[in-house]
Amino acid sequence: MPEPGAYNPREVAVQQLRQAGARIEMDDDILQKLSHPKRIMQVSIPTKMDNGSLNVFTGYRVQHNMDRGPAKGGIRYHPDVSMDEVIALAMWMTWKCAVVNIPYGGAKGGVICNPKEMSQDELERMTRRFTSELIGFIGPNVDIPAPDVYTNPQVMAWILDTYSMNQGYLTPAVVTGKPVEIGGSLGRNEATGRGCAIVTREALKTMDIDISGARVAVQGFGNAGSVAAKVLQGMGAIVIAVSDSRGGIYSEQGIAVEAAVQHKAETGTVVDFERCDQITNEELLALDCDVLVPAALENTITEDNADAVKAKVIAEAANGPTTPDAQAILDGKGVFVVPDILANAGGVTVSYFEWVQGGQMYFWSEDEVNERLESIMVNSYYEVRAEAKRGNLNMRDAAFNVAVGRVAKAVELRGIYP
Ligand code: NAD
């Protein structure tokens, strides 16, 4: 649950929709429909723990909208998962799929648990039971889960297997972000970070900043953040700081990203990585740099710390890292924010490629995947940029205009059933 006084992500998400609706003069009936998720599921997940005791976890799956295609969205395992958070994330998925114009609606799922304190066997039993509870409501044409915070390809493999065993045949297109050996796509694991790096590169062009030598700080060194750091480094940027939940590291000369990934894999954290100074997450957010990539959780850049941000570009690899008040402060300071629904859409874009490949059992090369990702991210960036210029808007409002407009059009054309 959000801290007292903190933003409730669901309220933020509905507010964002209302504001976009007003800007694009959306029909009120359509606004009402889109303000409500299509389907909300809460399930109990009784799970045998290794010591023989039983733990009943609570899980959620929310399908916000399916007017443009099956619902799509990750599953998060985290102690702070809440229904409101999952609803907000499902809505953001709807806009994210629309902003990059792929034929999906939005969904999200989560289980309240602490995976860091669970064994692999416990995680497997919990995942399989969660999948069983949802079995009638997921599927390649209905709702397709993917990894999110603290879930990974192995978790997707368990979901795939549970679903496939119930079908009686392998159904690879039921999840994305699964291992390549069982129908995953080459490039999927890196797609969110790569997509984020691509739009960051374009944002730096917009701001007339040379990417070569641009100083980058990444908060949250998981899948999205570490790959964004690696790809940006490959594009010539200098990664001066990264962090995870246990703290951050800083090096004026630049951090060897691959080696830091290795260090985190071995020790569980980036803290104490060689030849770096230790910094806190708060200090990282206020570093003097060109690009800040928040890649952890929601509500990271708030009205309390936005004024201290010195980055010229923020590329939101995480979902919902900037609160509305913080966005207003950043706008006032001239910080160019590439919003989450665009900046981290690379993940769902390659998930879409994975689903297409799995449906046809015809698999593409990694270069093919990356080329198509590049093309979708660049086109989407400039579509949003054009809308920003047209309406004199920041990139977040422009992205919402584009995305909400597309979904509203689909609802209008289909009409309200019956
Ligand atoms: P992950 O579990 O791989 O990594 C999360 C990282 O954040 C970890 O390194 C963790 O230590 C760190 N972290 C957690 N709490 C933190 C805190 N308070 N301060 C600093 N660091 C903290 O997760 P991920 O898949 O990389 O997801 C990160 C963000 O990106 C989430 O907001 C997620 O919704 C978003 N996202 C992920 C994908 C994807 O494909 N993985 C796609 C779109 C969006």
Side-chain angles (χ1 to χ4, degrees), residues 164-207:
S164 297
M165 291 310 289
N166 278 270
Q167 294 294 303
Y169 48 87
L170 176 66
T171 314
V174 65
V175 284
T176 60
K178 57 192 170 288
V180 172
E181 294 82 352
I182 47 171
S185 176
L186 294 169
R188 170 61 186 91
N189 219 18
E190 305 217 309
T192 304
R194 181 176 296 280
C196 181
I198 291 168
V199 293
T200 303
R201 183 193 66 205
E202 299 309 310
L204 286 170
K205 283 185 202 161
T206 300
M207 295 295 279

Side-chain angles (χ1 to χ4, degrees), residues 76 96 108 148-150 188 192 219-224 243-245 264 281 295-297 317-319 344:
R76 177 174 294 195
K96 191 179 303 180
K108 202 78 180 192
D148 190 68
V149 177
Y150 299 150
R188 170 61 186 91
T192 304
Q219 191 242 11
F221 201 59
N223 175 297
S243 69
D244 58 34
S245 57
K264 183 166 162 74
N281 270 290
L297 297 169
N319 285 307
N344 68 35

Side-chain angles (χ1 to χ4, degrees), residues 58 117 151 157 249 286 315:
T58 299
E117 290 174 358
T151 53
I249 51 173

Side-chain angles (χ1 to χ4, degrees), residues 211-244:
I211 194 162
S212 170
R215 292 149 53 85
V216 176
V218 179
Q219 191 242 11
F221 201 59
N223 175 297
S226 67
V227 176
K230 193 181 80 180
V231 179
L232 283 167
Q233 196 175 53
M235 291 172 173
I238 301 172
V239 178
I240 58 166
V242 303
S243 69
D244 58 34

